[in-house]
Amino acid sequence: MSDAVAPPPSSYKDSPTAWAILAVGVFAYFSAVAQRTSFGVASVEAADRFHTAAAGLSMFSMMQVLVYAVLQVPVGVLVDRYGPRILITIGAVAMAAGQLQLAAAESVTGGVVGRILVGAGDAATFVCVMRLLPVWFSALKVPMLTQVVGMTGNLGQLFSVIPFAVLLHATGWVPSFVAMAGMCVLAAVLSGLVLRNNPPGVRVLNDSMSLASVRASMAESLKEPGTQLGFWVHFTVQFAGNTFALMWAYPYLQNAQGLDPTQASFVMTVYVVFNVVVAPLVGKLSARFARRRSALVLTFCLVAWSGWAVLLLWPGHAPIAVVYVCVCMIALSLPASMMAFDIVRAFNPPRRGGTATGLANVGGFAASLLAIYVTGLVLDLLYGAGISPRLYDGEAFRPAIAAQGVVALVGTIAILRCTHKVRKVHGPDAV
């Protein structure tokens, strides 16, 4: 494997060209998150369109997340070899195809195929955008720009919560998903025309990667305790907010909290706006307390689950002000999860940056996959046993959401174990 050369000359760092490339990269990620979360906005309509129960409906998001998670490591290896430009462009094309497939689908199988394509294209976006940051920007800016990328993704979710939701209710299933495909086409065109893997004359790709070198890079990344910690941080922190946004927000808010679709959309708007507002603060905390990141992420995880605890334990419907506060507490998990990549960068050299980032990014989506399935399974079991009078019964959501706590507990234990390993290898103040 050929090592990456020294960073680009300072004239390229933070240059107007760098900012233009970042702008297109974050638009591609904005589009990817909008596609990712669009089905969650349409989940109530999807249940009617595809005539399926909670577990069947969760298959759409489960398969999307499964494909996303499985492809993270291959994408990380490929971006180290071929660069972000081609992968982001191909990913946008795949998402456009997926949304067109979903628009036309009339069966569960056809719809799931569409979401698989969306998951595959989405998988090729985030890791690739993250790969651009250390190439085009100075080291001090990278932690903050990491949060900017995540913040822009949250705005993509806001797009699905407001414009897409309005379009869905105004024009119906097919036109709204066709419009989302059009956004992907625009992202593909801009990415192909504007993105550059590296400045002229500067080599940052492992362009001689063989199968043996790929195995070696993966082995080195996996062996590094910092990569392991990054995986479990992402696993533990991200899934609470991700699962809520991807699948269960609208069914929960409408059935368990008694909100109408307009009120639920406004709650989710606040959810996204809060993410955008707090992301820079999380980035600053991550940079300032780099040697205490494990404690920070566990604190954020505690805040998120405290929000869920209040909602699940509140008798009947919680007051709307309480719902807003708790949803914002849950939302904190998304920007906090981005600290996983700060941890990965701190302990891996640039030549395997994509591979290590991909490995860590698997964590949150693997946890999301488990949480989405567990929630749907509990809802179906309660309904099938006659305990719940209807599928999305408000009281049934209490044990269904609470079951996700098992995933958080497993992740928390793993974070503590990996933190100990990192400090043993790299020193007591390493993280």
Side-chain angles (χ1 to χ4, degrees), residues 13-361:
K13 294 282 188 177
D14 311 327
S15 67
T17 299
W19 288 105
I21 288 171
L22 178 64
V24 172
V26 296
F27 174 72
Y29 185 53
F30 169 93
S31 173
V33 175
Q35 316 308 319
R36 180 195 302 171
T37 56
S38 60
F39 186 80
V41 174
S43 58
V44 175
E45 290 79 1
D48 293 332
R49 181 178 179 87
F50 298 110
H51 309 291
T52 184
L57 191 62
S58 67
M59 284 297 296
F60 286 81
S61 293
M62 282 177 58
M63 291 306 299
Q64 173 191 342
V65 172
L66 176 62
V67 170
Y68 183 102
V70 167
L71 290 180
Q72 284 307 288
V73 175
V75 165
V77 172
L78 289 172
V79 74
D80 284 343
R81 170 62 181 84
Y82 295 104
R85 181 185 183 186
I86 187 171
L87 290 178
I88 292 175
T89 302
I90 291 173
V93 171
M95 284 185 282
Q99 295 292 52
L100 291 174
Q101 168 66 21
L102 185 62
E106 295 182 353
S107 67
V108 170
T109 300
V112 168
V113 169
R115 296 313 286 173
I116 287 173
L117 287 170
V118 170
D122 187 12
T125 307
F126 175 75
V127 171
C128 296
V129 175
M130 294 293 286
R131 184 69 159 75
L132 291 168
L133 296 183
V135 175
W136 289 97
F137 293 93
S138 54
L140 289 177
K141 283 188 169 63
V142 172
M144 181 61 67
L145 291 177
T146 297
Q147 290 296 331
V148 169
V149 173
M151 181 177 66
T152 306
N154 292 328
L155 292 174
Q157 182 184 342
L158 184 61
F159 184 90
S160 68
V161 167
I162 301 178
F164 173 73
V166 170
L167 186 64
L168 178 66
H169 297 140
T171 66
W173 184 274
V174 174
S176 56
F177 279 100
V178 169
M180 295 298 282
M183 180 191 293
C184 296
V185 172
L186 176 59
V189 171
L190 289 175
S191 298
L193 292 176
V194 178
L195 292 184
R196 295 294 181 268
N197 297 327
N198 47 263
V202 177
R203 182 170 58 83
V204 294
L205 301 179
N206 293 326
D207 50 13
S208 63
M209 290 183 78
S210 62
L211 184 59
S213 63
V214 167
R215 286 198 299 264
S217 178
M218 288 185 60
E220 291 170 1
S221 298
L222 285 168
K223 185 179 179 181
E224 169 55 55
T227 305
Q228 298 170 25
L229 178 59
F231 173 92
W232 286 110
V233 164
H234 204 243
F235 179 100
T236 309
V237 183
Q238 192 236 28
F239 85 89
N242 199 38
T243 302
F244 188 66
L246 277 177
M247 187 69 205
W248 297 118
Y250 282 82
Y252 174 80
L253 292 172
Q254 292 180 47
N255 292 277
Q257 294 299 337
L259 305 184
D260 62 38
T262 301
Q263 290 174 317
S265 292
F266 196 74
V267 169
M268 291 308 294
T269 300
V270 173
Y271 174 93
V272 174
V273 170
F274 180 80
N275 268 320
V276 172
V277 171
V278 303
L281 174 60
V282 174
K284 289 181 180 179
L285 289 173
S286 179
R288 181 173 181 180
F289 298 104
R291 299 182 186 278
R292 293 292 180 267
R293 283 175 176 150
S294 287
L296 276 176
V297 296
L298 288 175
T299 300
F300 289 136
C301 188
L302 178 62
V303 170
W305 277 97
S306 296
W308 263 129
V310 171
L311 290 178
L312 297 179
L313 294 174
W314 197 283
H317 298 163
I320 190 65
V322 173
V323 172
Y324 280 122
V325 171
C326 292
V327 164
C328 287
M329 292 169 71
I330 296 166
L332 186 61
S333 65
L334 293 176
S337 71
M338 300 293 284
M339 292 174 63
F341 307 111
D342 294 332
I343 292 171
V344 167
R345 259 194 313 272
F347 298 104
N348 285 277
R351 64 181 173 81
R352 62 172 190 256
T355 302
T357 299
L359 286 167
N361 202 31

Side-chain angles (χ1 to χ4, degrees), residues 406-418:
V406 176
V407 181
L409 178 61
V410 169
T412 299
I413 293 171
I415 287 176
L416 294 173
R417 289 172 60 89
C418 287

